[in-house]
Amino acid sequence: MPSPWESDVLLHAGPAFLAKPHPKILEVGGGSRTYVYVEGAEYTALDISRDQLDKNRYASEKILGDAQTIDYGARVFDACVFWDVLEHVESPKSALSKAANTLSPGGVVVVKGPISTSIKGMVTTMTPRWVHVMFYRHILKQPNAGKPGYAPFPVEHSVDASHSEIAATLRQLGMEVVFVGEYISTHVDALKKRMPPLYWLYESAGFIIRLISGRKCGGRKTEFLIVAKNSG
């Protein structure tokens, strides 16, 4: 069953490419699976990691390169997808600008990522990577977590990767933001199911942070989705 954010992608971004027999979709940070599955689509996967590209089985073209500096040449896409990617780069604005320049008229940019001010985002920022690896291995039951080509990857959490800044950047690039959604991560559900005491500690910490910050930080919603349309 698709996650709520995957369903919302097709609902709000789908009109830009579902009517086309072979829409062209760029996936920045393309790994072993796509989160935007479209029958008949032609996928291009860009990643800075050769390991990630080697695991990719759905893309017809794979590009080894940095999303912040890549020259896409004459390539044109109907959708550019950043799925849990921009929090891992130093300059999200550069990556968005490079991709937006490749869009066809009416094409869309899809960005999914963590809400950095949520309790989950704050814990991720404040804890070392080995903690993230242990969570993936023991809570999410992913034994290869932390190995080359496998999540969790180092997190930059640039200020420019917040959903408000990403939406502002897309508008500055001349795009229309048509949808912004917020969700609770499936990671939180896994924590609640497999380690209830730790889950309640997590929830209690979030409650205290919301109280102290006047609800500016520590929110329960942990993920965001933004869909923006090229109005050119």
Side-chain angles (χ1 to χ4, degrees), residues 179-192:
F179 178 75
V180 179
E182 296 184 355
Y183 315 84
I184 296 177
S185 171
T186 53
H187 292 183
V188 176
D189 293 333
L191 181 65
K192 182 177 182 179

Side-chain angles (χ1 to χ4, degrees), residues 45-81:
L46 168 72
D47 206 289
I48 200 169
S49 166
R50 171 59 67 186
D51 291 321
Q52 282 292 90
L53 292 177
D54 287 344
K55 291 197 305 178
N56 188 294
R57 297 291 181 267
Y58 63 87
S60 56
E61 182 182 15
K62 302 178 186 180
I63 305 172
L64 182 66
D66 189 330
Q68 302 162 99
T69 58
I70 183 72
D71 181 359
Y72 289 104
R75 295 178 180 87
V76 177
F77 301 103
D78 300 302
C80 298
V81 180

Side-chain angles (χ1 to χ4, degrees), residues 20-210:
K20 298 184 178 182
H22 300 290
K24 297 182 182 299
I25 299 177
L26 168 67
E27 293 207 332
V28 180
S32 58
R33 63 160 288 193
T34 177
Y35 293 90
V36 184
Y37 177 74
V38 180
E39 186 72 34
E42 297 178 6
Y43 289 91
T44 295
L46 168 72
D47 206 289
I48 200 169
S49 166
R50 171 59 67 186
D51 291 321
Q52 282 292 90
L53 292 177
D54 287 344
K55 291 197 305 178
N56 188 294
R57 297 291 181 267
Y58 63 87
S60 56
E61 182 182 15
K62 302 178 186 180
I63 305 172
L64 182 66
D66 189 330
Q68 302 162 99
T69 58
I70 183 72
D71 181 359
Y72 289 104
R75 295 178 180 87
V76 177
F77 301 103
D78 300 302
C80 298
V81 180
F82 294 83
W83 204 272
D84 291 329
V85 169
L86 291 178
E87 68 271 22
H88 299 288
V89 303
E90 190 173 330
S91 177
K93 289 186 176 181
S94 297
L96 287 169
S97 178
K98 292 286 186 179
N101 286 335
T102 71
L103 283 177
S104 61
V108 294
V109 168
V110 175
V111 182
K112 187 264 181 186
I115 299 175
S116 58
T117 56
S118 70
I119 180 60
K120 175 176 174 284
M122 295 174 70
V123 168
T124 300
T125 301
M126 293 186 295
T127 53
R129 184 168 178 265
W130 68 264
V131 173
H132 311 165
V133 172
M134 291 300 100
F135 179 87
Y136 272 67
R137 289 184 182 178
H138 299 293
I139 304 299
L140 302 183
K141 305 301 181 182
Q142 298 180 12
N144 291 320
K147 296 179 181 179
Y150 292 89
F153 304 104
V155 177
E156 290 284 347
H157 267 320
S158 163
V159 173
D160 293 339
S162 70
H163 57 321
S164 59
E165 285 296 320
I166 288 172
T169 295
L170 291 168
R171 292 187 181 100
Q172 290 167 8
L173 292 171
M175 303 189 69
E176 176 191 0
V177 175
V178 297
F179 178 75
V180 179
E182 296 184 355
Y183 315 84
I184 296 177
S185 171
T186 53
H187 292 183
V188 176
D189 293 333
L191 181 65
K192 182 177 182 179
K193 179 180 179 181
R194 293 175 180 144
M195 292 194 70
L198 191 57
Y199 167 77
W200 289 113
L201 179 62
Y202 165 91
E203 286 285 1
S204 298
F207 174 79
I208 293 170
I209 292 172
R210 289 193 296 275

Side-chain angles (χ1 to χ4, degrees), residues 205-217:
F207 174 79
I208 293 170
I209 292 172
R210 289 193 296 275
L211 194 64
I212 293 173
S213 68
R215 305 190 72 82
K216 293 180 180 178
C217 299

